[in-house]
Amino acid sequence: MKFKTKYLHIAVIILGIIFLSICAFHTTLWFDESYSVAIAKHNFADIWNITGNDVHPPLYYWALHIIFLIFGNNILAFRLFSVLATVLLGIVGFTHIRKDFGEKTGILFSFLMFFLPVMTAYSQEIRMYSWSCLLVALTAIYAYRFYKSIKEKSLKSKNKNLIVFGIFSICCCYIHYYALVTTGLINLFLLIYLIKNRKEEKNTLIHFLILAGIHIVLYIPWLMFFMGQIKHVSNGFWIALDPVSTPVELLSFQFRRQLDTNFVWDAHTIIAIVSAVLMYIYLGFRAYKCKKDKQELRPAMLSFAIYASVIVAMFIITIIIWRPIFFSRYLFVVTGLYVFTLAFIMSTEKNKFSTLGICAVIVVLGTISNITNTKMHYNKGNTEVYDYLRENMQEGDIIVYSDIGVRWSCIISISRI
């Protein structure tokens, strides 16, 4: 059985890679992506300074600059770089989740990472989201491995896991602020546990505090920019909270494919929220059954606690700076934790037809999302602006625009011509 499950898992990964890649071979850009492409052309020092005046840390743009140095101004290479992060996340289900939490949890983790509707929408974005999601997931995995090695009194694995956790943790701090908050919460959870068990784990607590000190030192160079960005956001930001749409987006984000900034009530949104609510009802039922049968749910509960804590933290920060910074798109950063919670609880299901039924629904939803994205991104009309400029633009021509989005579209169009 294990032999068959192993190869089934590999098949899921291969099919998932193909599924995600269907919509990745286009060269159209929207506003945020055009910013990523434009900044990738700058050197490392300039990227540091430019992003300091934006609202994101520099690590992703540094990585994108390396892709630029290797492949040139190749939009396809930039896009496939984003897809690579999600592919690695799916593979983590085989290399890490399967090993730590069992065959079934591992294969479900990989499956959900490839086929959830949100993955088909965001995994190929030329933005930092997919890499942030990967780094947050790896940070959480090695935090849990560190915790387990403490429980098992394994000194060698404890030190190794602490070091790897520390590396991924600092990377999170420099790639996205939701990742920064997430790793901060994970560190806080570990610190509370170590303080609580300080008599038995005095040396481990000291090592952890040393690591925390190293994190602070490594983050000090960015603190000036970070404080400036907080001030910038508090003075005015484009995000807005809505008493109706915000809760809907919060509950259904992973089941939706909408990339638009403005929330839209349509058939897709209704299907997404119904699917999400049904999933939550099922997970609640499974959690109740597990508790009744005394099945272990701690890993899933810890994962969900961190996911929920990030949301709560963002709302608290919103109140403190009196400026909304909660946006459903940013939840993609912590989707690895969300997916693990789903996978772990679903793995407790003994009725294989129930599991297969849920997976079938997710495949249908993901396929609809993929088809919609494919039609949108491979539309022949997308190249009209490039064709027009190529045929009509002459040296010395001036482009007059009234919208910042048009500005960036023109910059990318000219660079491609």
Side-chain angles (χ1 to χ4, degrees):
M1 177 60 71
K2 287 187 176 181
F3 176 83
K4 292 182 180 180
T5 304
K6 177 181 177 180
Y7 284 95
L8 175 62
H9 198 158
I10 293 173
V12 167
I13 291 172
I14 293 172
L15 290 172
I17 293 172
I18 296 171
F19 185 76
L20 279 185
S21 301
I22 290 173
C23 198
F25 295 92
H26 69 92
T27 56
T28 57
L29 300 170
W30 67 293
F31 172 66
D32 283 10
E33 288 184 313
S34 67
Y35 178 86
S36 298
V37 172
I39 202 171
K41 301 174 185 178
H42 294 271
N43 61 46
F44 294 107
D46 287 344
I47 289 173
W48 176 275
N49 292 318
I50 293 170
T51 53
N53 294 309
D54 186 37
V55 291
H56 292 297
L59 182 59
Y60 169 74
Y61 300 115
W62 278 347
L64 207 62
H65 178 61
I66 294 173
I67 301 300
F68 170 78
L69 293 176
I70 298 172
F71 298 100
N73 190 33
N74 189 321
I75 293 175
L76 188 58
F78 294 151
R79 196 172 303 285
L80 291 177
F81 178 63
S82 294
V83 174
L84 174 63
T86 304
V87 169
L88 292 175
L89 258 173
I91 293 173
V92 160
F94 185 83
T95 59
H96 290 67
I97 305 299
R98 181 178 68 96
K99 182 178 180 180
D100 292 353
F101 304 101
E103 298 273 358
K104 198 171 181 181
T105 303
I107 196 170
L108 285 169
F109 181 89
S110 296
F111 169 81
L112 293 169
M113 272 300 173
F114 286 123
F115 292 98
L116 270 177
V118 71
M119 306 310 294
T120 67
Y122 282 86
S123 294
Q124 43 83 36
E125 288 288 291
I126 306 178
R127 299 294 288 160
M128 69 290 297
Y129 303 123
S130 59
W131 282 98
S132 299
C133 185
L134 173 63
L135 290 172
V136 166
L138 289 172
T139 299
I141 287 170
Y142 280 94
Y144 188 78
R145 286 186 171 186
F146 172 62
Y147 160 77
K148 287 289 289 182
S149 61
I150 293 174
K151 299 282 287 185
E152 295 168 0
K153 305 295 182 182
S154 175
L155 179 61
K156 184 178 179 180
S157 61
K158 179 170 63 176
N159 292 334
K160 183 195 76 172
N161 291 328
L162 180 60
I163 291 170
V164 177
F165 161 74
I167 293 171
F168 287 129
S169 186
I170 193 62
C171 287
C172 284
C173 297
Y174 273 102
I175 199 165
H176 194 281
Y177 288 126
Y178 269 56
L180 168 67
V181 171
T182 306
T183 195
L185 288 167
I186 292 173
N187 274 273
L188 179 61
F189 281 25
L190 285 173
L191 179 61
I192 291 172
Y193 171 77
L194 289 172
I195 291 176
K196 184 179 178 181
N197 296 275
R198 59 188 179 277
K199 290 183 179 180
E200 300 86 359
E201 300 295 337
K202 182 179 179 181
N203 290 334
T204 305
L205 176 59
I206 293 172
H207 293 160
F208 184 82
L209 291 174
I210 291 173
L211 178 65
I214 294 173
H215 277 165
I216 293 171
V217 170
L218 291 175
Y219 201 69
I220 285 175
W222 187 253
L223 275 179
M224 181 180 69
F225 291 111
F226 177 59
M227 299 305 295
Q229 289 173 347
I230 290 178
K231 184 178 179 181
H232 168 69
V233 170
S234 63
N235 288 334
F237 204 42
W238 57 270
I239 295 176
L241 296 181
D242 182 87
V244 177
S245 64
T246 298
V248 169
E249 290 177 314
L250 174 63
L251 289 172
S252 64
F253 171 72
Q254 281 81 8
F255 294 86
R256 299 171 68 232
R257 58 144 293 279
Q258 184 178 330
L259 287 168
D260 303 330
T261 299
N262 297 321
F263 180 82
V264 177
W265 275 108
D266 55 16
H268 174 74
T269 299
I270 294 171
I271 292 172
I273 187 64
V274 170
S275 301
V277 169
L278 289 175
M279 174 62 86
Y280 296 137
I281 292 172
Y282 169 77
L283 292 175
F285 172 75
R286 286 303 316 151
Y288 169 76
K289 289 286 290 181
C290 289
K291 185 177 181 181
K292 187 177 180 181
D293 297 339
K294 296 182 179 180
Q295 288 182 266
E296 177 64 59
L297 277 181
R298 182 175 297 179
M301 294 301 99
L302 285 172
S303 182
F304 183 75
I306 296 169
Y307 178 83
S309 296
V310 171
I311 296 173
V312 172
M314 289 307 171
F315 276 110
I316 292 174
I317 296 172
T318 289
I319 295 172
I320 292 174
I321 68 174
W322 204 246
R323 182 63 57 183
I325 59 170
F326 176 82
F327 190 53
S328 59
R329 184 192 306 161
Y330 298 157
L331 288 178
F332 192 82
V333 174
V334 285
T335 290
L337 301 176
Y338 178 91
V339 166
F340 174 77
T341 303
L342 266 59
F344 191 95
I345 295 177
M346 285 176 64
S347 71
T348 65
E349 176 63 71
K350 297 178 181 179
N351 187 334
K352 63 180 180 180
F353 294 106
S354 296
T355 304
L356 289 173
I358 293 172
C359 290
V361 170
I362 289 173
V363 168
V364 171
L365 294 175
T367 300
I368 293 172
S369 174
N370 224 2
I371 291 172
T372 305
N373 290 331
T374 300
K375 289 181 178 179
M376 177 176 64
H377 292 307
Y378 293 118
N379 190 314
K380 293 181 179 180
N382 293 337
T383 62
E384 289 179 357
V385 62
Y386 309 124
D387 296 336
Y388 177 83
L389 289 173
R390 190 178 293 109
E391 293 172 3
N392 296 279
M393 192 169 180
Q394 299 177 9
E395 186 176 353
D397 284 351
I398 297 174
I399 296 177
V400 179
Y401 60 89
S402 60
D403 181 84
I404 190 170
V406 175
R407 172 195 175 191
W408 282 105
S409 297
C410 290
I411 289 174
I412 296 304
S413 298
I414 294 170
S415 67
R416 288 181 62 185
I417 294 171

